[in-house]
Amino acid sequence: MSQLSVLERLEILADAAKYDASCASSGTAKRNSKGGKGIGSTEGMGICHAYAPDGRCISLLKILLTNHCVFDCHYCINRKSSNTRRARFTPQEVVDLTLSFYRRNYIEGLFLSSGIIKSASHTMEQLIEVARILREEHDFRGYIHLKTIPEADPELVAQAGLYADRVSINVELPTVAGLTRLAPDKSAPQIEGAMGSLKEAIVEAKDARKRFRNAPKFAPAGQSTQMIVGADAATDSDIVGRASTLYGNFGLRRVYYSAFSPIPDASAVLPLKRPPLMREHRLYQSDWLMRFYGYAPHEVQQAAGADGMLPLDIDPKLAWALRFRGDFPVDVNRAPREKLLRVPGLGVKAVNAIVAARRQRRLRLADVGKLTVSITKVRPFIIAEDWRPVLLTDRTDLQSLIAPAARPAQMELFA
Amino acid sequence: MTPFRSMRLPEAFRITLSAPDDFEGWRDAARRMIRADVPPDRITWESPADQSADLFAQGDRRLPAQPADAPQPRASRDFLQLAQSVILHSDSTRFSLLYRMLWRLQSRPRLMEDKADADVRAMEDLARNVRRDIHKMRAFVRFRVIESEAGDHYVAWFEPDHHILRANAGFFVRRFTTMHWSILTPRGTLHWDGEVLQEGPPATRADAPSGDPVEALWRKYYASTFNPARLKIGAMLKEMPRRYWKNMPETALIPELIAGAQAREAQMVKAGEQDFGEQPQSLAAIAEAILACRRCEMGCNGTRAVMGEGPQGAALMIVGEQPGDTEEAQGKPFVGPAGQLLRAHLQNAGIDMEQAYVTNAVKHFKFVPRGKHRLHQNPTAKEIDICRWWLDGERALVRPRLVLALGASAARSLLGKTVSVQKVRGEPQVLADGSELWITTHPSYLLRLEDQSRAEEEAKFANDLRKVSTRLSELSGRISTEG
């Protein structure tokens, strides 16, 4: 095979990496290069330096070191039996690319993953080498996210956390049966074992930092994972349940959902369809309900239908409210914060504003209107100084009054 | 001038700040005005950037005398914090909005908490715009390199909406401390040489470099990281509005990426089209359907598909790789040389081949013509995976308790992954439907070996079959005692 140019390999290896949803560059320790010889900074909030027409943020240089892989996971474009073009970068090439992009302010840092070559440990060593050169030789203070290979030597995984801001291991599929069928070379206990030891290392390092100022930082932005949605038979209820177990057991910062999308030269085991983007969106909304709105996992599951699927036409919060109408209306002038957070159409910011404003005066419907995007959606669920929904809350056609009527065949709804 | 008005109203004032983001200047003047008890509607505020804001504004440029006994103006901390963002906005009414708020705060010290108040909301809206502009500048500034003997100089051209340049300088200094850089804007410029930050006069786009060789790589990255199957243009535009595009090298690609996206996605879906529909309800239906199956290249090579054979309900299913030359000609599985060898070994192990359901992982014969002969070729992983649909159908109908896979192709068809036969032989695995899978070599492999190695491999093969035989009688024994 003739040697491909850096440009051609970048095309192959960025294309091969794009099915990983995460691009976050937030929540890590604050650093800058003032007074140093290095380059870069992280200031807590992540920055999206561009957006692609798929609506996804481009924050990090997200590439694979190589897309050669000894594994044969059916959903993956890089699986051994796929006919895709193969390429690889040397660690130094990745370092040079990262730095030249970073200096031009294209990116916040690097998200590096890889196909498995030779062995899991060998691959992990290569990934770590990139991070080591960036941190030690170039004093790079930008963001580094390393994908960790669960089958690799735990010693190496521990080393990765010392250089990286975030480490992640993908659980890939929400059910063990799905994993066995679609990722026959991976094992659920091994993945969870590796996530467990990462969690321990993160907690230990945090603890050490409390006692010793100079203890090394270990993955200060924590660990995350990704689940593919729509490749196996798991229901939304299954997925929400699995995600909450993962959050609970492994202290994850984020669980990412990735709608299974068609890939070139796909495996015959997975018939290709349009990706279920709306389903993915509803799962993220349910994730938000659990993380910021105080919903317990079983409550989100209550919003799902008898088939275990969240409705696609309305958001899960509204679905929950329509199912538990007895909890409404909520008095904006009296109700505790937790109750206000359950009102469809009121976000965390709006609730905070209401709680602050009602200390100053009794809120009327118009006042609430100023603090929210759409008062029509909120109105049936609240009581204000001059407003009481009377029968509205109990109307059977309530959904059609507040949710936009079934829009003309939106393609992604039928994905 | 209208002496008539000034006789009846309090004195009017006109305050000119030194710069559009001059917070200190505004604060000093506002403090003074509050102490002199000047109501908001008697002050006209202006700064160099918005001189034209109110051409007919009247007022005295003198400042009022401050009564010595006037109390110090009071302002809550959250007001001061928000005001520092608001003052960066390009809206020319920002100074008077801030003064009006300060005026009202004197009688309502907790006014800032009333989030439904129109002035409070106006302040928050302006501050939000400013914060967003600051954030977008950090995101969308693109440096281009000018190489020289003195070292690389990174230069960017950016057009902010608000007066945020000075407020945002710290970010770039902290991040690119060791670089020599300049950010040029129509409102002013920043220059950092590694040690000192300098401000300069407004610049034009022509002052910045017109390109950078690394942009070709960046554009390639941008195009490759885009997934055409998930087009969401609205989401992109919301976060990256068109007005920023002209100074970002990658955005020129957007129209063609969007235009090509649906075609690329449709192509992928079509290429991966494996919609087999409902599983056939009988073995006869499968036998008929495979004759017409053209879902892979093998199906299209003009050979006749060969269906499995044996009693429905057989306890043992034997899966080979594919029909060979003889099998294709006769339309029956395992009737060629390999089939004869298998039959002999099964007999020795005490297994009645007539009682087993015998089939193949793929149903068509793959070959290359060599003179008069058709030379066997291995099916690809993909062909095996596609044909797996039919084997799964046969398994669902026959429901064997034990499946014997001969060779790596058969094993892949049942496991979905490629395994090494030598490593997994002799030990059973449980399949998803609860049946047991045993894997051994394919008899045609034995036929290709010679002398010593053939004898060794045949012995191992026979040994595997004996284990299967033993296990079969255990299983049928258990079934009959359980039944």
Side-chain angles (χ1 to χ4, degrees):
Chain A
M1 191 179 73
S2 63
Q3 181 63 46
L4 298 169
S5 69
V6 171
L7 191 77
E8 287 168 304
R9 285 180 289 154
L10 179 64
E11 180 178 17
I12 295 170
L13 294 169
D15 189 272
K18 72 184 169 198
Y19 300 97
D20 229 307
S22 163
C23 199
S25 55
S26 56
T28 190
K30 287 192 177 189
R31 294 187 295 261
N32 63 56
S33 45
K34 259 192 140 167
K37 56 181 167 40
I39 178 166
S41 63
T42 49
E43 307 206 338
M45 199 179 1
I47 298 176
C48 297
H49 285 272
Y51 291 82
D54 52 18
R56 283 184 164 171
C57 136
I58 300 175
S59 180
L60 304 171
L61 170 63
K62 181 160 54 180
I63 50 171
L64 300 189
L65 196 54
T66 174
N67 65 339
H68 290 277
C69 193
V70 298
F71 280 9
D72 207 0
C73 308
H74 290 284
Y75 52 82
C76 180
I77 183 177
N78 306 312
R79 68 187 187 287
K80 188 168 69 177
S81 59
S82 153
N83 242 335
T84 190
R85 278 196 301 165
R86 307 282 173 173
R88 67 179 300 176
F89 276 130
T90 63
Q92 189 60 48
E93 283 170 329
V94 175
V95 168
D96 293 344
L97 259 180
T98 307
L99 290 175
S100 52
F101 279 11
Y102 196 88
R103 288 197 184 103
R104 287 163 181 79
N105 203 38
Y106 301 160
I107 52 170
E108 285 294 287
L110 174 69
F111 178 177
L112 189 64
S113 178
S114 181
I116 315 276
I117 33 166
K118 291 189 193 164
S119 71
S121 290
H122 171 80
T123 311
M124 199 65 225
E125 275 167 20
Q126 299 281 305
L127 294 181
I128 291 168
E129 177 63 4
V130 174
R132 188 199 63 78
I133 299 177
L134 276 171
R135 290 283 195 237
E136 288 183 357
E137 292 179 19
H138 298 276
D139 213 349
F140 178 68
R141 289 153 192 205
Y143 195 92
I144 298 180
H145 179 163
L146 286 184
K147 183 112 288 182
T148 312
I149 299 163
E151 294 79 9
D153 187 345
E155 197 62 4
L156 291 168
V157 178
Q159 214 180 326
L162 294 178
Y163 294 120
D165 290 284
R166 172 167 284 184
V167 283
S168 65
I169 298 171
N170 286 354
V171 295
E172 309 292 11
L173 291 154
T175 60
V176 175
L179 193 72
T180 317
R181 195 169 88 85
L182 299 177
D185 301 300
K186 299 197 178 192
S187 112
Q190 194 152 34
I191 291 173
E192 296 203 353
M195 288 168 87
S197 45
L198 270 181
K199 179 201 171 186
E200 264 170 45
I202 292 169
V203 171
E204 251 170 50
K206 271 223 176 94
D207 195 48
R209 299 263 309 166
K210 276 185 206 143
R211 283 175 287 143
F212 311 104
R213 240 168 59 94
N214 292 322
K217 285 187 179 155
F218 188 93
Q223 65 166 327
S224 64
T225 192
Q226 169 172 306
M227 267 189 255
I228 298 165
V229 176
D232 64 356
T235 64
D236 290 345
S237 226
D238 294 339
I239 293 173
V240 167
R242 176 90 168 118
S244 75
T245 319
L246 291 171
Y247 277 122
N249 290 358
F250 305 113
L252 297 181
R253 287 288 182 92
R254 278 294 293 276
V255 173
Y256 289 92
Y257 301 111
S258 176
F260 178 69
S261 78
I263 48 174
D265 195 46
S267 158
V269 172
L270 281 170
L272 296 189
K273 293 180 198 138
R274 296 192 56 110
L277 294 182
M278 186 48 85
R279 187 176 171 203
E280 177 193 280
H281 180 58
R282 296 294 181 224
L283 283 168
Y284 274 123
Q285 287 178 321
S286 69
D287 195 56
W288 250 244
L289 291 185
M290 293 193 285
R291 290 166 61 213
F292 304 115
Y293 288 80
Y295 285 73
H298 74 268
E299 290 178 306
V300 174
Q301 286 165 339
Q302 286 166 346
D307 57 353
M309 302 302 268
L310 294 168
L312 291 178
D313 53 347
I314 53 172
D315 66 78
K317 195 176 171 191
L318 178 57
W320 190 88
L322 288 173
R323 195 150 293 177
F324 297 94
R325 292 188 195 194
D327 288 26
F328 301 95
V330 168
D331 189 338
V332 291
N333 286 304
R334 288 204 188 87
R337 195 167 176 278
E338 311 85 75
K339 285 271 176 205
L340 288 172
L341 281 171
R342 301 245 160 173
V343 174
L346 289 187
V348 174
K349 267 191 189 160
V351 168
N352 289 343
I354 287 174
V355 171
R358 73 186 183 186
R359 288 196 205 108
Q360 303 301 307
R361 58 182 152 127
R362 310 275 303 163
L363 297 175
R364 307 170 75 82
L365 193 63
D367 296 327
V368 180
K370 284 181 200 154
L371 303 174
T372 63
V373 184
S374 156
I375 192 70
T376 344
K377 196 177 173 189
V378 178
R379 210 164 45 180
F381 300 100
I382 59 167
I383 294 171
E385 182 69 1
D386 60 342
W387 168 259
R388 194 168 273 278
V390 205
L391 292 175
L392 203 49
T393 322
D394 298 323
R395 279 177 66 158
T396 43
D397 59 347
L398 182 56
Q399 179 175 336
S400 60
L401 289 179
I402 42 184
R407 274 167 289 181
Q410 190 189 9
M411 281 192 294
E412 55 195 27
L413 285 180
F414 297 96
Chain B
M1 293 290 146
T2 49
F4 172 70
R5 269 181 71 194
S6 56
M7 273 163 58
R8 306 196 16 191
L9 291 165
E11 219 178 339
F13 296 95
R14 179 173 193 158
I15 298 168
T16 305
L17 301 172
S18 69
D21 57 351
D22 180 13
F23 180 73
E24 306 291 314
W26 175 85
R27 193 180 55 190
D28 291 346
R31 211 177 256 160
R32 217 180 159 104
M33 291 291 166
I34 294 280
R35 296 194 72 192
D37 206 25
V38 182
D41 60 347
R42 302 312 295 157
I43 311 175
T44 306
W45 299 86
E46 59 184 29
S47 79
D50 28 48
Q51 292 259 307
S52 60
D54 194 353
L55 285 176
F56 302 103
Q58 311 153 15
D60 202 321
R61 285 177 191 277
R62 284 177 303 109
L63 294 177
Q66 298 184 78
D69 55 345
Q72 279 295 327
R74 296 152 55 93
S76 58
R77 185 193 299 264
D78 44 358
F79 168 78
L80 286 176
Q81 225 160 28
L82 204 61
Q84 289 179 55
S85 290
V86 171
I87 207 138
L88 307 180
H89 203 281
S90 52
D91 185 337
S92 61
T93 65
R94 64 192 183 280
F95 303 117
S96 48
L97 168 67
L98 290 177
Y99 185 73
R100 192 165 61 245
M101 275 296 295
L102 187 62
W103 176 264
R104 295 179 62 201
L105 275 167
Q106 303 314 306
S107 54
R108 280 188 66 189
R110 305 188 68 179
L111 177 59
M112 285 303 288
E113 287 171 31
D114 187 356
K115 304 292 180 193
D117 180 86
D119 283 340
V120 176
R121 283 184 47 77
M123 267 185 82
E124 293 203 327
D125 285 345
L126 295 188
R128 186 168 46 246
N129 292 342
V130 166
R131 275 196 304 268
R132 185 176 157 95
D133 201 33
I134 287 178
H135 188 76
K136 292 302 178 194
M137 177 174 168
R138 294 174 182 186
F140 298 154
V141 153
R142 296 283 183 267
F143 286 114
R144 288 170 164 166
V145 179
I146 302 173
E147 288 175 3
S148 75
E149 284 176 18
D152 293 345
H153 183 196
Y154 290 80
V155 183
W157 166 250
F158 188 74
E159 295 168 65
D161 293 337
H162 305 291
H163 306 287
I164 55 166
L165 186 63
R166 200 174 291 135
N168 225 356
F171 171 83
F172 292 95
V173 169
R174 290 190 295 275
R175 173 161 291 194
F176 302 113
T177 317
T178 48
M179 277 163 39
H180 175 197
W181 54 260
S182 299
I183 298 176
L184 315 181
T185 83
R187 297 173 191 267
T189 52
L190 291 176
H191 307 277
W192 173 260
D193 63 0
E195 276 162 21
V196 182
L197 182 71
Q198 283 185 319
E199 289 177 24
T204 64
R205 185 197 305 269
D207 298 329
S210 57
D212 186 307
V214 174
E215 286 176 2
L217 283 168
W218 173 240
R219 272 195 291 265
K220 184 61 87 185
Y221 175 70
Y222 181 79
S224 308
T225 201
F226 160 58
N227 183 351
R230 319 178 34 113
L231 204 57
K232 277 188 177 177
I233 301 167
M236 169 185 69
L237 286 175
K238 186 163 167 264
E239 294 299 336
M240 194 172 74
R242 280 209 170 81
R243 65 175 187 278
Y244 292 110
W245 289 19
K246 56 184 181 294
N247 298 322
M248 298 168 71
E250 64 273 26
T251 52
L253 298 173
I254 292 174
E256 58 178 284
L257 289 178
I258 292 174
Q262 262 143 0
R264 278 169 73 190
E265 187 204 358
Q267 202 183 355
M268 284 190 283
V269 173
K270 192 164 185 314
E273 190 71 77
Q274 300 299 341
D275 193 1
F276 285 77
E278 293 281 305
Q279 274 279 5
Q281 293 305 306
S282 69
L283 291 173
I286 295 181
E288 197 187 319
I290 58 171
L291 291 175
C293 181
R294 300 288 179 266
R295 288 186 181 84
C296 73
E297 278 178 35
M298 284 177 68
C300 309
N301 68 2
T303 59
R304 173 164 56 153
V306 177
M307 179 61 183
E309 249 185 26
Q312 187 163 355
L316 171 66
M317 178 182 271
I318 301 176
V319 184
E321 182 192 64
Q322 60 170 332
D325 187 65
T326 327
E327 285 84 1
E328 200 267 337
Q330 296 187 21
K332 286 160 102 44
F334 284 104
V335 291
Q340 281 158 21
L341 184 64
L342 174 67
R343 191 175 301 268
H345 273 281
L346 285 173
Q347 209 162 10
N348 288 340
I351 300 172
D352 182 0
M353 195 165 167
E354 306 307 319
Q355 292 301 309
Y357 184 89
V358 183
T359 189
N360 283 303
V362 298
K363 308 297 185 219
H364 282 89
F365 173 38
K366 187 175 184 181
F367 65 92
V368 275
R370 280 279 180 282
K372 284 184 187 171
H373 297 288
R374 300 191 292 179
L375 216 62
H376 162 273
Q377 268 203 316
N378 290 326
T380 63
K382 184 158 188 174
E383 286 158 347
I384 296 169
D385 292 344
I386 292 175
C387 220
R388 184 176 168 183
W389 168 261
W390 301 120
L391 181 66
D392 283 349
E394 288 174 282
R395 280 176 56 210
L397 291 163
V398 177
R399 302 176 60 82
R401 286 190 284 280
L402 192 151
V403 181
L404 173 62
L406 305 175
S409 296
R412 182 179 175 96
S413 177
L414 289 151
L415 288 173
K417 63 174 172 180
T418 303
V419 293
S420 154
V421 173
Q422 297 295 358
K423 277 188 196 153
V424 296
R425 70 189 302 170
E427 288 298 327
Q429 307 188 39
V430 179
L431 294 173
D433 64 355
S435 59
E436 249 176 45
L437 171 68
W438 291 70
I439 298 170
T440 184
T441 47
H442 196 280
S444 64
Y445 166 70
L446 304 177
L447 291 173
R448 288 197 299 275
L449 298 173
E450 282 174 10
D451 311 332
Q452 178 72 20
S453 44
R454 164 130 183 206
E456 282 170 14
E457 279 300 321
E458 278 208 52
K460 283 196 219 163
F461 186 66
N463 190 33
D464 285 347
L465 293 192
R466 270 197 300 279
K467 285 190 193 166
V468 168
S469 174
T470 315
R471 186 66 188 140
L472 258 182
S473 26
E474 277 173 27
L475 285 172
S476 56
R478 184 187 301 166
I479 299 295
S480 55
T481 50
E482 274 172 4

